[in-house]
């Protein structure tokens, strides 16, 4: 549940940043959600190899990987030029 709240908050921040860059915020919000989910799935796979059946470290690792998906989209968006009004 906290993860969903964090994702909503972070997609809002990405939307604001996309508007500053003159890009469609909805598309970048969707990119953020997709990157979050894909990174979390990759984190679960890698975490299951690293931690086996120990659930708490596995889930924490997956959430940190999911946050990495957000950071990836944020870095891509930060490289775009700002719109000059």
């Amino acid at each position: 549940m906290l993860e969903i709240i964090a994702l909503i908050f972070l997609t809002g921040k990405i939307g604001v940043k996309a508007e500053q860059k003159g890009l469609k915020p909805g598309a970048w919000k969707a990119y953020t959600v997709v990157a979050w989910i894909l990174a979390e799935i990759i984190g679960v796979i890698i975490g299951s190899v690293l931690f086996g059946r120990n659930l708490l470290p596995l889930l924490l690792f997956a959430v940190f990987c999911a946050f990495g998906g957000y950071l990836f989209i944020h870095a891509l968006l930060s490289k775009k030029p700002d719109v000059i009004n």
Side-chain angles (χ1 to χ4, degrees):
M1 183 67 183
L2 291 175
E3 185 177 341
I4 295 170
I5 294 169
L7 185 57
I8 291 169
F9 174 74
L10 294 174
T11 55
K13 289 182 71 169
I14 288 291
V16 170
K17 191 162 191 79
E19 286 178 356
Q20 291 173 352
K21 305 286 184 175
L23 302 169
K24 295 180 181 179
W28 284 93
K29 288 179 180 183
Y31 297 151
T32 304
V33 171
V34 169
W36 180 281
I37 292 170
L38 288 177
E40 189 170 18
I41 289 170
I42 291 169
V44 167
I45 293 169
I46 294 172
S48 66
V49 170
L50 293 175
F51 302 111
R53 293 181 180 237
N54 199 352
L55 193 59
L56 182 63
L58 172 75
L59 293 177
L60 289 175
F61 185 76
V63 169
F64 282 120
C65 288
F67 187 71
Y70 159 76
L71 291 177
F72 176 72
I73 297 298
H74 186 269
L76 287 178
L77 192 55
S78 294
K79 291 182 181 180
K80 305 279 184 188
D82 287 338
V83 172
I84 299 173
N85 292 330

